Amino acid sequence: MPDRHRLRILTALTLLGALALVSGRAAQARPGDDAEQSPPPPASDSGREIRFNISPNGYPPYLIVDQAEPSGIMWDVMKRVTEKLGYTLKALRIPRKRVDRMLLGGYLDATSRAREWVDNPDEFVFTDPIVAIEEVFFSPKDSDFRFQQVSDLAGTTLVTHLGYHYPALQADLDAGRIKRFDVPRDQDMFTYVLHGNGFDAAIADRLVGRWILRNQEMRDDFRISERGISHYGFRIMMRKDWQPFVDRFNQALAQLRDSGELDNILANYR
């Protein structure tokens, strides 16, 4: 075989090999492949973006979404801590029923949650409590409603949040000693109690209720029970691979608490 012909064949084979290598790499990076659909695990270096769920409607005063920039207790604390740790925070509005699945799948990094509200808490990691969730009773100021213990609720009808569970009252609810009337929105619960017929009190988180009454100019119309039926720590919930960040978050949160900065954030929403 002439040298010139052999050289052409070798050159062609070399080009074909290079094209095959490039095509293989392009196929691996093609949008839609599994490698592209699954986000990479969180990076340990600073500057990493954290995708934080604020839910479609928020949860005032913990998460407030009806403005250009999110706010609220949980957002403000998360924002302050992530800035201190060199992370950026991105708000996502994910419905509650999809949050856990998207967290475990890597499409979401964090959400606000009490550990007691999670069916499978061992699948996640939680920060230290940022603020307490305390379910108490809101009754009309001139009513005879009083609460010291669950037995005081016999024969009452309580306005409750649709889909919420109240473990401390469940046995009495099941037995019919207490009746519940479900309302889909927190802010409507107080209107039902004040202007409806046959309702004794509403069950709501203390801070949520105070926020609604303040914004609806109804603070003077209600009395809030000193005792409640639950007391949970409201935390940030993340995947287990975020454990190093959670450890650093807890340290920064302790600094916010010791310096009084956390109290200043809370004061903005009370």
Side-chain angles (χ1 to χ4, degrees), residues 141-202:
K141 201 165 189 177
D142 57 355
S143 76
D144 296 329
F145 179 88
R146 296 292 185 275
F147 175 75
Q148 290 295 325
Q149 55 191 4
V150 173
S151 60
D152 295 336
L153 302 175
T156 62
T157 299
L158 305 174
V159 179
T160 52
H161 197 293
L162 178 66
Y164 280 25
H165 299 286
Y166 304 95
L169 309 180
Q170 198 57 52
D172 291 272
L173 289 168
D174 292 341
R177 289 185 290 270
I178 303 172
K179 291 183 169 58
R180 64 181 290 175
F181 180 82
D182 289 339
V183 176
R185 300 196 312 164
D186 285 309
Q187 54 264 45
D188 294 337
M189 297 169 65
F190 302 92
T191 303
Y192 273 94
V193 171
L194 197 60
H195 301 294
N197 293 320
F199 302 123
D200 296 285

Side-chain angles (χ1 to χ4, degrees), residues 195-216:
H195 301 294
N197 293 320
F199 302 123
D200 296 285
I203 305 176
D205 171 65
R206 189 183 296 275
L207 285 182
V208 170
R210 283 179 172 173
W211 174 266
I212 293 172
L213 295 182
R214 185 180 78 177
N215 284 276
Q216 294 189 353

